[in-house]
Amino acid sequence: MNPKLIKILKIILPFMLGVFLIWYFLSSATPEYRKELLENIKNADPIWVLLSLGLGIISHISRAYRWKFLLNPLGYNPKLYNSFMAVMAGYLANLGVPRSGEVLRGFTVSTYEKIPFEKAFGTIVSERIIDLIMLIIVTTGAGILQTEYLLNFLEEKNINPLLTLGIILGLILLGILGLKILQKSSNKWIVKIRDFGMGLLDGMKSIFKMKQKWAFLFHTLLIWFLYILMFYVVKFAVPNLHSASLGVILVAFVVGSFSMSTTNGGIGILPFPIVVGAVFVFFSFEKSDGEAFGWILWGSQTAINIIVGALSFLFLPLLNRGKTT
């Protein structure tokens, strides 16, 4: 294929993908859904919504910066703006296909920073394991504050975070065992699979090779503190939720996090605004107020992910001209 055509496609295709994901998200929503979302955002106190958005953006920047600590031991030092835009492009992709954002994020940094995809993706897997552990810690904290309510709700929704962690760790161990078994094979296809798996494992092991472990820990705690805080401040945007305690907000955060992780951006079998609203109803708040909280939080954060994610698709090739040949 013509090298110039390849270069043009590398610029156009990411932008077209961003446009497609925006179209997919908007077209899949019903008119009533879009109208309700707009009304809830319009009626909210904008100061608290903007504060929540600002906290969310800072958490994304912190996540992009934290990623560098995992890539440095592998010999790579990506530019912060590339890491940030890769993260945001990944969030946009997740709105279309759950968990596709992690793959896209790996491909993006691989394309513009010349990092082998399998190693980049391995560091992302490590991140997700750490984040799952943090979610379990937050769930434990919420459980301590609202034990009876939380256990009943998780049981009703058949959510078992410990089982999820066990499955992930089990798959990782099976993958390592499989690599050991296939290590001596000379079959070309097995060799390719083995090389990819070893690169993935190298990326995952980078967490143990970091020289800046304390900085990594600081940013991990900062990210999750900001996540909870951006949840907490939105209650002040809905007048009748001002009295909601930290325990109630933590339960809503936990349930909302599981909704986001199991659907395409919080829309699916367990829609984020609905399940978060149900938490407030569970704690004797009005349904309309609880769902307003869910729509405002989800709508504002989704809007910023769409805008910044789409801009990332646009600016990545523009800021990295000549780096994709």
Side-chain angles (χ1 to χ4, degrees):
M1 187 179 290
N2 189 305
K4 290 185 178 180
L5 179 59
I6 294 176
K7 190 172 182 178
I8 292 172
L9 288 175
K10 286 183 176 180
I11 294 174
I12 293 177
L13 288 179
F15 179 70
M16 290 179 62
L17 177 59
V19 173
F20 167 76
L21 289 169
I22 294 173
W23 169 84
Y24 175 86
F25 169 73
L26 294 176
S27 64
S28 62
T30 65
E32 294 79 10
Y33 174 97
R34 291 192 291 266
K35 182 179 179 181
E36 185 174 8
L37 176 61
L38 181 61
E39 286 299 317
N40 284 329
I41 293 176
K42 285 171 60 178
N43 293 331
D45 187 332
I47 298 299
W48 296 106
V49 177
L50 288 173
L51 178 58
S52 178
L53 287 174
L55 294 168
I57 288 293
I58 295 172
S59 74
H60 301 329
I61 295 173
S62 181
R63 177 175 292 279
Y65 193 77
R66 185 186 69 168
W67 195 12
K68 293 164 65 75
F69 298 136
L70 291 172
L71 291 168
N72 287 160
L74 302 177
Y76 304 103
N77 186 32
K79 295 180 176 62
L80 179 59
Y81 64 79
N82 278 338
S83 298
F84 174 72
M85 287 189 289
V87 168
M88 297 310 299
Y91 286 150
L92 177 58
N94 279 337
L95 293 175
V97 181
R99 304 273 64 89
S100 65
E102 281 72 14
V103 177
L104 179 62
R105 179 178 159 192
F107 272 121
T108 300
V109 79
S110 175
T111 298
Y112 296 113
E113 291 288 351
K114 306 302 180 185
I115 300 172
F117 168 75
E118 62 273 14
K119 293 189 177 183
F121 189 67
T123 60
I124 295 171
V125 172
S126 292
E127 271 195 3
R128 288 310 181 192
I129 292 173
I130 295 297
D131 288 334
L132 180 59
I133 292 172
M134 287 300 300
L135 179 56
I136 291 173
I137 292 173
V138 174
T139 302
T140 303
I144 292 172
L145 294 174
Q146 303 287 348
T147 304
E148 183 179 353
Y149 290 116
L150 182 62
L151 290 178
N152 289 339
F153 195 88
L154 292 179
E155 183 179 356
E156 180 182 336
K157 297 298 180 181
N158 293 318
I159 296 172
N160 189 334
L162 293 177
L163 177 60
T164 302
L165 178 61
I167 291 173
I168 292 174
L169 292 177
L171 290 174
I172 292 172
L173 291 174
L174 284 175
I176 295 173
L177 180 61
L179 288 174
K180 293 293 184 181
I181 294 174
L182 299 176
Q183 201 166 21
K184 297 182 180 180
S185 176
S186 58
N187 182 281
K188 66 176 183 178
W189 294 109
I190 292 179
V191 168
K192 287 184 178 181
I193 294 172
R194 183 179 67 213
D195 290 344
F196 178 83
M198 292 305 295
L200 186 65
L201 188 60
D202 283 343
M204 293 171 63
K205 291 193 300 185
S206 65
I207 196 169
F208 301 107
K209 302 176 183 177
M210 287 186 299
K211 294 181 179 179
Q212 297 165 301
K213 290 183 174 64
W214 288 109
F216 180 88
L217 177 61
F218 169 77
H219 278 277
T220 297
L221 295 175
L222 176 62
I223 289 166
W224 283 83
F225 172 74
L226 292 171
Y227 281 173
I228 295 171
L229 192 58
M230 78 181 191
F231 241 78
Y232 188 80
V233 299
V234 171
K235 78 170 190 173
F236 298 110
V238 183
N240 293 330
L241 295 182
H242 287 187
S243 62
S245 67
L246 176 60
V248 173
I249 298 299
L250 283 179
V251 174
F253 175 83
V254 169
V255 174
S257 297
F258 279 108
S259 170
M260 292 294 289
S261 65
T262 56
T263 61
N264 51 334
I267 294 298
I269 299 174
L270 295 173
F272 178 92
I274 303 302
V275 297
V276 169
V279 171
F280 286 99
V281 172
F282 202 72
F283 287 102
S284 302
F285 289 93
E286 291 295 328
K287 180 179 180 181
S288 58
D289 295 322
E291 291 192 353
F293 177 98
W295 287 116
I296 292 166
L297 179 60
W298 180 86
S300 58
Q301 293 296 332
T302 298
I304 203 69
N305 286 345
I306 290 175
I307 294 170
V308 180
L311 289 174
S312 296
F313 274 110
L314 175 63
F315 283 105
L316 271 166
L318 295 178
L319 294 175
N320 292 278
R321 288 175 180 170
K323 296 182 181 181
T324 59
T325 55

